[in-house]
Structures are given as structure tokens and as C-alpha cells.
Amino acid sequence: MSSQKKILVIGSNGQIGTVLTKKLGQKFGFENVIGSDLRMPDAPTKFIFEECSVLNKEKLEDIIYRHKISDVYLLAAYLSAKGEKNIDKAWDLNMTGLLNVLNFAKQKKIQKIFWPSSIAVFGPSTPKNNVQQYAITEPTTIYGVSKLAGESLCHYYHNKFGIDVRSIRYPGLIGWDSMPGGGTTDYAVDIFHEALKNQEYTCFLSKDRTLPMMYMDDAIKATILIMEAQANKIQIRTSYNLSACHFSPNELAEEIKKYIPSFQITYKPDDRDQLAKGWPASINDKHARNDWGWKPNFNLSQMVSDIVLNLRNRYKK
Ligand code: NAD
Ligand code: SER
């Protein structure tokens, strides 16, 4: 196997993949980054793109072999809201996709894996605030159930076969460069586009539904940081708690009003509010900070300022 790092991002067209592939390309060279997804990207990419389902083992193996892949970032998944409407498919994609990639590592076809878990592994029986790494995990969504099982699978493959698989429990992610794909925290992206386009937004979560959230820049920073850390620094092989900030839709709207004073928000909670109700309001991430030096750069006001700055021109009339 060559010593050159060659990276495959599976689910590269999604909310995180769109941004992560750019950052990885800038850091390691676009010639060393291969993106893959079910569908072709909307715009030409600087990295090589391969159309493939993570469920198609033969085709995936061929991509890994042809490009001499060393590191895989597995992002293809059904998220919480979409998962509740497609339980069997969510289980299949979230579990079989992970198992396929773990088995490539077991067969020594790849060296290192990043696979994200989520705050959705927690549930109503978890304490609400400052949730610790080893708090109760009794999820009430198929998404959370699959993430919890995935964490155990990663832990098992690491212990039994020495697989170098690394994971973080992302909070809700917010960015300006890509759109989300069916989660409960999607409101926090939609709100910026509607505020800048129409100066109004109808929110599908309750006004005071506080959740742990993170700016995409911080999520990408954490992802690359954990993957580049020395293996002996990764003490947790299920998945690390990760935190940056937490806020409610009302607090986010108030922050946006500082830039768009005419902005109006109304609330029409739907099923997704019930999913969010079972999740923590804030997370304790001391293990990520101690083990591999994690520290976020963005709080709520810094994040809002940066998103408005980046999106403003797009909607200028
Ligand atoms: P997304 O839905 O935006 O993107 C997923 C991508 O995977 C899409 O481009 C989709 O076309 C692709 N995909 C779907 N099925 C596929 C298949 N069979 N083969 C290959 N590609 C397929 O998701 P995201 O927000 O980018 O999330 C990526 C990962 O991060 C997921 O595991 C998700 O659970 C996790 N996560 C995300 C958040 C968040 O707020 N975005 C929070 C916690 C965890
Ligand atoms: N942002 C994700 C979701 O809402 C949480 O993992 O599904």
C-alpha cells in the first residue's frame, strides 16, 4: 500500500461533504481527494468524483482499489426526520454502509475511517444539560438507534480487529455553503436563507427548543483534527461528545435581527419538534478537549455574523 494519503469521502454532495471535500482538498491536494455519492454533484468539482452507493460493495471496492484509498470519511446516512419516514431504509443505509466500510478496513484495503455519530444517541431519559460522555443513551428515533448501534460496531471492530475508526457525536450543524438533507436541526440553516430573501420565517421547532449546535467551520475543524491526531490520543472508540454552543430558535432569531431588523419569525411546531424534545440542550465535551485538543472557534454571535456576511450578497436585490 502506498504511503500517500488518499481520501474517499462517501456522501460528498451532502451538507457536510460539500464543505469537507473542499477543506480536505485545500489541505491535502485535490488530486488526493475522491468524492462519491449516489448522484452527480450539482456543479463541477476540483476533486475526482465517483458515482456510487455505499451499499454497492463491489463498486466501492473497485473505487478503493483504483484510487489506492487510505482514509475514508463515511457521511452517507439518513438523518433524523427523514429516517422516521423511512425506518427500514434508514437502518439499512446507516448500518450496512458502515459495516461495508469497516470490513474494507478489516481486509486491510483501507487504513483509517471517520464515521460521525450524533447527539441523537441521547434520549428523554438523558439529563437535559451539560450531558456527559457516558450519560444514559436511550434514543427514541431510528436515526439515534442506528447511530448508537454504529458506535458499538466501531468500538467492537476497534477492539477485535484493531480497526482505526474515529467518531464524534456532531451537534446540529449550521453553514452557509451547503443545504441540510432531512434533519431536525435544519431550521437553523433555512432561517438564514428566508431571513435574507423574505425577512420572515415559519419555524418547525418551538420557540424555546434549545439544542446543542455548531458552526460548520468548527465541525470541519473537529473532523480533520480527530482524523489527524495520533492514534494513541483517541481513547474513546465509540464516539466523542462534541460541543460549541447551544441556543433556541428564539435566541437565534434575536441574533439575526441585529443584522436584519425587519426579520419576523413565527412558530408552527411539527413532528420534528417532538424529536428535538428528546435530545439534550447542551453537551459536555471534556474528553475531546483533553484527548485530542478540541476547542471551538465560534459562539452564536460569531457564527451569525459570519453566515450573514457570506450569504448577504447572494440575496441582494
Ligand atoms: P446529508 O443528508 O446532507 O448528506 C448525505 C449524503 O449522502 C447526500 O449527498 C446523499 O445523496 C448521500 N447518500 C445517500 N445515500 C447514499 C448511498 N447509498 N451511497 C452514497 N451516498 C449516499 O447529511 P449530512 O448532514 O452531510 O450528514 C453527514 C453525516 O453526519 C451523517 O452520518 C449524519 O448522521 C451526520 N450528522 C450530521 C449532522 C448535521 O447536523 N448535518 C449532525 C449530526 C450527525
Ligand atoms: N442534525 C441532525 C439531525 O437533525 C442531528 O444528528 O438529524
Side-chain angles (χ1 to χ4, degrees):
M1 198 177 284
S2 131
S3 58
Q4 172 64 54
K5 188 194 288 292
K6 282 273 193 172
I7 298 168
L8 175 64
V9 178
I10 302 174
S12 60
N13 294 348
Q15 188 194 8
I16 301 171
T18 302
V19 188
L20 181 65
T21 43
K22 282 186 198 152
K23 279 279 146 60
L24 290 170
Q26 284 158 4
K27 191 169 169 65
F28 298 109
F30 282 97
E31 69 282 11
N32 296 315
V33 177
I34 290 88
S36 86
D37 207 291
L38 269 187
R39 54 189 168 87
M40 292 299 288
D42 294 336
T45 58
K46 287 188 181 173
F47 55 85
I48 301 157
F49 182 82
E50 297 272 8
E51 204 174 336
C52 179
S53 168
V54 68
L55 301 177
N56 186 337
K57 258 197 285 190
E58 289 72 30
K59 197 166 175 188
L60 199 55
E61 184 171 352
D62 177 58
I63 292 169
I64 288 170
Y65 175 74
R66 277 192 288 111
H67 294 286
K68 300 185 170 53
I69 298 298
S70 57
D71 299 7
V72 171
Y73 292 73
L74 171 54
L75 304 177
Y78 269 73
L79 275 78
S80 57
K82 201 172 161 189
E84 286 310 285
K85 296 194 161 54
N86 303 275
I87 293 174
D88 294 3
K89 284 184 179 169
W91 178 260
D92 192 29
L93 175 60
N94 297 4
M95 298 315 302
T96 311
L98 175 59
L99 198 60
N100 285 349
V101 173
L102 286 169
N103 279 330
F104 287 132
K106 184 174 159 230
Q107 294 154 13
K108 308 224 178 300
K109 292 180 172 132
I110 54 174
Q111 292 164 18
K112 211 193 278 185
I113 301 166
F114 174 79
W115 171 83
S117 183
S118 160
I119 51 163
V121 295
F122 299 115
S125 55
T126 312
K128 255 309 180 221
N129 295 301
N130 195 32
V131 170
Q132 302 292 318
Q133 177 68 38
Y134 298 105
I136 296 171
T137 44
E138 290 179 341
T140 50
T141 59
I142 191 64
Y143 175 66
V145 170
S146 70
K147 288 295 183 188
L148 188 59
E151 289 189 7
S152 283
L153 203 55
C154 291
H155 186 253
Y156 174 76
Y157 266 66
H158 175 74
N159 280 346
K160 192 162 173 98
F161 305 114
I163 303 307
D164 192 355
V165 53
R166 303 168 182 212
S167 178
I168 49 195
R169 292 170 177 158
Y170 287 134
L173 303 184
I174 310 164
W176 56 270
D177 204 7
S178 57
M179 293 308 283
T184 299
T185 57
D186 295 9
Y187 91 88
V189 177
D190 300 342
I191 193 173
F192 284 94
H193 294 269
E194 293 306 314
L196 286 159
K197 251 191 302 186
N198 303 318
Q199 291 76 55
E200 59 182 30
Y201 179 63
T202 304
C203 183
F204 58 75
L205 294 190
S206 305
K207 186 175 177 184
D208 297 316
R209 182 70 66 221
T210 299
L211 289 171
M213 304 294 281
M214 181 176 283
Y215 192 30
M216 186 61 82
D217 288 42
D218 272 337
I220 300 298
K221 176 181 144 179
T223 304
I224 297 177
L225 195 64
I226 192 173
M227 278 297 266
E228 290 308 302
Q230 283 177 7
N232 63 2
K233 302 263 183 216
I234 312 300
Q235 296 292 317
I236 294 174
R237 293 292 183 159
T238 48
S239 188
Y240 277 92
N241 273 8
L242 195 74
S243 170
C245 51
H246 55 275
F247 51 80
S248 65
N250 182 47
E251 287 164 328
L252 178 57
E254 288 304 312
E255 200 58 42
I256 292 173
K257 277 186 198 166
K258 292 181 185 167
Y259 300 86
I260 309 164
S262 58
F263 176 55
Q264 295 288 327
I265 184 163
T266 48
Y267 295 92
K268 210 173 157 195
D270 65 19
D271 296 354
R272 288 169 283 188
D273 192 50
Q274 285 310 306
L275 307 190
K277 193 177 174 188
W279 292 350
S282 64
I283 297 284
N284 182 300
D285 63 358
K286 67 170 185 263
H287 290 278
R289 290 173 189 251
N290 292 341
D291 290 0
W292 41 275
W294 159 246
K295 196 164 152 262
N297 291 335
F298 290 85
N299 61 24
L300 171 60
S301 61
Q302 290 163 324
M303 178 191 79
V304 171
S305 160
D306 206 56
I307 296 178
V308 172
L309 185 77
N310 276 291
L311 275 183
R312 198 156 233 164
N313 282 337
R314 194 181 294 181
Y315 296 112
K316 232 175 207 157
K317 288 194 176 131

